[in-house]
Amino acid sequence: MNQMMKDNLIDLMDIRKCMKEYYPIGQELVRQFEYYQNYQKAAERWKPENKMKYVIGSAVVGVVITPLILIGGLVAAGLYFGFDKIVENKQHQCDLQMKKVEELINKFEKSYEPVQEKCQRLLFSREDYETPMAVDYLIEIIESGRAETMKEAYNMLDEQLHRWKMEEIQNKQLEMQKNQIRQLKNIEADSAASASFSFINMAK
């Protein structure tokens, strides 16, 4: 094994070591961001400009369904006088969830940043290369001497990725890992997440 391959092997091992920390953080970030999006949709539905729509809608239900006139009226009155509090609560939930997301982003950044350059150089920001399974395979074939150059290693990895796609269990695991990477990249692009997501160039 030449020195370049030795150095690449060390860097891949370093990436894999850091993956044990930042990959679970990435999984939790994806999960919490999905919650944030749900809270955001709820806050959108309860915007102040929708107040009369809800009030009128509940009153109409009371008029149309005669036995529920009183109930409809009470609901309409409750919505009218309590709408602002509902809006405040929905926005508060949204803000709290966004705070959780931002905390996870900071944790992800700290754990990923030490190997960011190595990941970009050796994994090319390819979602099928950026998975733990793929990195483990690269380490295995380089360490065992089965690949003498990185070109050979990537060719062998591409063949293995294809085989995994043909094998149901491994393919499910690979697709799950790739899906997380895809979602993390979408978080970066989501305008609702603001510029605070711009540091995520790739995800694990």
Side-chain angles (χ1 to χ4, degrees):
M1 186 188 303
N2 61 42
Q3 189 59 47
M4 181 178 291
M5 291 297 285
K6 288 179 181 178
D7 292 341
N8 288 338
L9 178 59
I10 291 170
D11 288 344
L12 285 166
M13 287 178 169
D14 194 21
I15 290 171
R16 189 63 183 92
K17 181 181 177 182
C18 288
M19 258 186 188
K20 291 179 181 178
E21 182 176 352
Y22 69 71
Y23 194 83
I25 296 172
Q27 289 178 314
E28 183 63 13
L29 174 55
V30 168
R31 192 169 71 91
Q32 292 298 330
F33 187 72
E34 287 175 349
Y35 290 156
Y36 165 75
Q37 288 179 314
N38 291 335
Y39 282 124
Q40 189 182 43
K41 287 175 184 176
E44 282 290 314
R45 287 194 298 269
W46 288 91
K47 290 189 298 186
E49 52 264 41
N50 292 333
K51 180 175 182 177
M52 293 312 298
K53 181 177 73 175
Y54 282 102
V55 173
I56 293 170
S58 60
V60 167
V61 169
V63 171
V64 172
I65 306 175
T66 306
L68 297 180
I69 289 178
L70 180 59
I71 295 175
L74 290 173
V75 171
L79 278 174
Y80 183 81
F81 292 107
F83 194 88
D84 292 343
K85 188 64 178 177
I86 294 173
V87 170
E88 182 182 339
N89 288 339
K90 295 294 182 183
Q91 189 58 52
H92 181 63
Q93 289 175 334
C94 190
D95 292 342
L96 285 177
Q97 189 61 29
M98 187 60 195
K99 191 172 181 180
K100 287 183 184 179
V101 169
E102 288 173 344
E103 288 172 355
L104 284 168
I105 287 174
N106 290 332
K107 286 179 68 175
F108 182 88
E109 181 182 27
K110 287 177 183 178
S111 58
Y112 170 67
E113 192 173 19
V115 292
Q116 181 174 354
E117 182 277 330
K118 295 174 184 178
C119 288
Q120 292 172 339
R121 175 167 49 84
L122 291 170
L123 306 179
F124 313 118
S125 294
R126 282 185 53 175
E127 64 182 32
D128 49 352
Y129 283 11
E130 293 169 0
T131 64
M133 286 175 66
V135 174
D136 283 339
Y137 186 76
L138 282 173
I139 290 171
E140 177 192 336
I141 59 177
I142 294 172
E143 200 169 28
S144 65
R146 290 167 57 198
E148 296 183 359
T149 67
M150 289 308 296
K151 182 178 180 180
E152 288 180 3
Y154 294 132
N155 286 340
M156 291 175 71
L157 175 57
D158 288 337
E159 291 174 4
Q160 184 62 40
L161 288 169
H162 178 71
R163 282 195 291 271
W164 281 335
K165 288 176 182 177
M166 300 297 106
E167 299 169 7
E168 185 177 0
I169 296 176
Q170 287 88 345
N171 184 44
K172 284 181 179 178
Q173 186 178 355
L174 180 64
E175 284 303 314
M176 181 179 65
Q177 293 176 0
K178 286 169 62 177
N179 185 55
Q180 181 189 314
I181 293 163
R182 200 174 298 122
Q183 287 177 293
L184 282 165
K185 289 182 178 180
N186 288 339
I187 290 174
E188 179 187 14
D190 196 308
S191 59
S194 79
S196 62
F197 291 103
S198 61
F199 79 88
I200 307 179
N201 297 312
M202 58 177 285
K204 310 293 160 288

